[in-house]
């Protein structure tokens, strides 16, 4: 899974992300890229049987949802080989106590793997439901994937309780799928980058057709 997990760097800091298709689209947290336009993505791609580091600086923001803390980015590198994606799974079959693991860049240490269990699937915080996990996450893990043992993404790690251990939280994969399915509604507007939504113009009223007279 190492090829599909990316490090997301901005002038203000760094986070993690994961590739969702071969064209170079990836998911991360909104707070990782909030207020930033200069974004670089570091990925590891297999070359001659070995993983080699590659940094892409031609990165576009496709969609953002500040309320769910999600962002969709696109690596625009026509010369890059096909990217290695990971599947986004479902939390429905996930049981409390089931083992999960995270891959990310805590404190800049790329491709760090940590493991834990699902503590609860329905932890409510600020009006939203999160997966609570004992998996260790730290600054730099934000936006990275939380995997089940089948290698499917079941959550996006985005926060932890400060001054505590084993109290971490992830955005459920169902919310990620909803965000992707409705990405047009969350399309990034470069003219108004602080707006998480793009409002489409209202439909015009249909004009009455002129009546024909005999």
């Amino acid at each position: 899974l190492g090829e599909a997990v990316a490090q997301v760097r901005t002038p203000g800091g760094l986070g993690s992300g994961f590739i969702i298709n071969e064209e170079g689209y990836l998911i991360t947290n909104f707070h990782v890229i909030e207020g930033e336009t200069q974004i670089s993505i570091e990925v590891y791609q297999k070359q001659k049987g070995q993983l080699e580091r590659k940094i892409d600086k031609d990165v576009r923001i496709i969609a953002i949802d500040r309320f769910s803390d999600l962002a969709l980015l696109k690596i625009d590198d026509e010369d890059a080989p096909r990217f290695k994606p990971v599947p986004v799974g479902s939390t429905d079959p996930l049981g409390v106590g089931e083992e999960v693991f995270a891959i990310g860049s805590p404190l800049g240490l790329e491709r760090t793997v940590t493991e834990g269990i699902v503590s609860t699937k329905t932890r409510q915080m600020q009006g939203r439901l999160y997966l609570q996990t004992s998996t260790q996450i730290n600054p730099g893990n934000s936006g990275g994937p939380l995997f089940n043992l089948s290698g499917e993404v079941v959550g996006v790690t985005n926060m932890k309780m400060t001054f505590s251990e084993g109290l971490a939280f992830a955005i459920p994969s169902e919310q990620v799928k909803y965000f992707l399915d409705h990405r047009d509604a969350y399309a990034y507007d470069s003219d108004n980058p602080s707006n998480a939504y793009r409002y489409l113009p209202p439909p015009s009223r249909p004009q009455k057709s002129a009546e024909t007279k005999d």
Side-chain angles (χ1 to χ4, degrees):
L1 300 171
E3 290 181 88
V5 181
Q7 185 179 103
V8 182
R9 287 187 171 271
T10 69
L14 63 86
S16 302
F18 56 96
I19 307 291
I20 58 171
N21 69 13
E22 295 180 341
E23 284 72 40
Y25 286 88
L26 72 146
I27 290 288
T28 188
N29 282 149
F30 169 75
H31 77 258
V32 170
I33 56 111
E34 183 176 6
E36 305 285 2
T37 55
Q38 297 179 7
I39 303 170
S40 63
I41 304 295
E42 178 183 291
V43 294
Y44 281 77
Q45 295 178 323
K46 275 192 177 180
Q47 302 287 342
K48 299 179 181 180
Q50 294 184 341
L51 287 176
E52 294 186 4
R53 179 184 301 182
K54 187 175 186 300
I55 298 176
D56 289 291
K57 295 185 178 181
D58 193 0
V59 179
R60 281 189 295 134
I61 304 172
I62 303 298
I64 55 175
D65 182 0
R66 65 169 62 246
F67 305 108
S68 295
D69 196 20
L70 293 171
L72 177 65
L73 309 179
K74 170 72 166 62
I75 301 173
D76 284 330
D77 187 352
E78 297 179 356
D79 299 326
R82 307 293 275 183
F83 289 90
K84 182 75 172 180
V86 287
V88 179
S90 172
T91 63
D92 288 343
L94 199 64
V96 173
E98 189 169 329
E99 293 182 8
V100 289
F101 65 96
I103 304 178
S105 297
L107 305 180
L109 301 174
E110 69 274 2
R111 297 190 301 126
T112 294
V113 181
T114 54
E115 65 175 351
I117 63 168
V118 175
S119 302
T120 180
K121 296 170 58 177
T122 55
R123 178 65 67 199
Q124 184 170 339
M125 300 181 68
Q126 299 176 344
R128 291 188 175 274
L129 294 179
Y130 291 89
L131 294 176
Q132 182 180 326
T133 175
S134 63
T135 306
Q136 295 292 326
I137 67 170
N138 290 284
N141 273 112
S142 291
L146 184 70
F147 291 103
N148 61 20
L149 294 185
S150 297
E152 298 171 326
V153 177
V154 293
V156 181
T157 57
N158 74 321
M159 60 181 173
K160 64 173 288 187
M161 289 290 188
T162 55
F163 309 111
S164 66
E165 298 297 334
L167 293 175
F169 303 91
I171 302 162
S173 55
E174 279 72 20
Q175 185 61 48
V176 178
K177 292 178 179 179
Y178 182 89
F179 171 62
L180 292 173
D181 289 343
H182 298 84
R183 60 187 177 276
D184 288 344
Y186 300 103
Y188 177 74
D189 184 358
S190 58
D191 294 329
N192 185 11
S194 63
N195 184 14
Y197 296 93
R198 180 182 66 180
Y199 294 97
L200 300 178
S204 59
R205 293 182 178 179
Q207 296 181 351
K208 295 181 179 180
S209 59
E211 297 181 357
T212 57
K213 295 181 180 181
D214 293 334

